[in-house]
């Protein structure tokens, strides 16, 4: 099992863009297509959390299609905050999926909507809400220790 220690920030934004597209589809498609699309994204999040960020199909696409054209990154980032962000995304996707599958459509769409906004923010600005939450909780834990 591979655990990335650093990541290319461009890959993170690329993955966030694809995630935003998939989550947008989950918000607008009718059932059962939306649940299928959301289930796929849930698996993508789970791979990033439980295997490695590089195990994601979005990461594979970046490595094989985009990175050969743009070259190596000027800098890398610690992988722990984005992995935590993937866990946050996984949580929202799971809540959304379970809610949609059990008929709680409003709850499901709100959960998916929150994940969509976070992914879109990361894709368009590079600001990762989950990463910031990770850093904030680490600072808080140090303060309380």
């Amino acid at each position: 099992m591979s655990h990335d220690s650093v990541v290319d920030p461009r890959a993170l934004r690329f993955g966030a863009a694809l995630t935003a597209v998939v989550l947008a589809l989950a918000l607008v498609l009718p059932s059962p297509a939306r649940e299928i699309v959301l289930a796929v994204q849930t698996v993508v999040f789970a791979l990033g959390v439980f295997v490695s960020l590089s195990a994601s199909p979005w990461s594979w696409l970046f490595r094989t299609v985009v990175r050969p054209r743009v070259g190596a990154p000027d800098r890398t980032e610690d992988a722990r905050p984005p992995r935590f962000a993937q866990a946050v995304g996984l949580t929202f996707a799971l809540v959304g999926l379970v809610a949609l599958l059990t008929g709680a459509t409003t709850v499901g769409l709100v959960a998916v909507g929150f994940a969509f906004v976070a992914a879109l923010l990361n894709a368009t600005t590079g600001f990762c809400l989950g990463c910031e939450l990770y850093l904030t909780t680490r600072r808080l834990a140090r303060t309380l220790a």
Side-chain angles (χ1 to χ4, degrees):
M1 183 155 69
S2 167
H3 291 283
D4 308 301
S5 59
V6 295
V7 291
D8 182 339
R10 302 168 305 169
L12 299 174
R13 286 184 76 173
F14 179 82
L18 292 178
T19 297
V21 169
V22 171
L23 293 173
L25 288 172
L27 289 170
V28 300
L29 288 173
S31 186
R34 71 175 165 217
E35 289 84 1
I36 293 167
V37 167
L38 184 55
V40 168
Q41 183 56 51
T42 302
V43 170
V44 171
F45 281 136
L47 287 169
V49 173
F50 297 114
V51 180
S52 76
L53 293 171
S54 64
S56 159
W58 307 161
S59 178
W60 178 85
L61 276 173
F62 181 83
R63 278 193 319 274
T64 59
V65 176
V66 178
R67 189 164 180 196
R69 289 160 178 74
V70 299
D74 294 334
R75 64 182 177 80
T76 58
E77 294 179 1
D78 182 356
R80 290 174 295 177
R83 281 183 71 116
F84 181 85
Q86 291 288 295
V88 173
L90 175 61
T91 302
F92 278 97
L94 277 174
V95 167
L97 186 58
V98 169
L100 290 170
L101 290 172
T102 59
T105 305
T106 302
V107 171
L109 293 176
V110 168
V112 173
F114 282 138
F116 166 72
V117 168
L120 188 63
L121 181 64
N122 190 352
T124 58
T125 69
F127 183 80
C128 174
L129 284 171
C131 300
E132 291 302 316
L133 180 61
Y134 172 85
L135 297 171
T136 299
T137 57
R138 295 269 313 214
R139 283 191 288 270
L140 181 62
R142 273 190 240 120
T143 302
L144 297 175

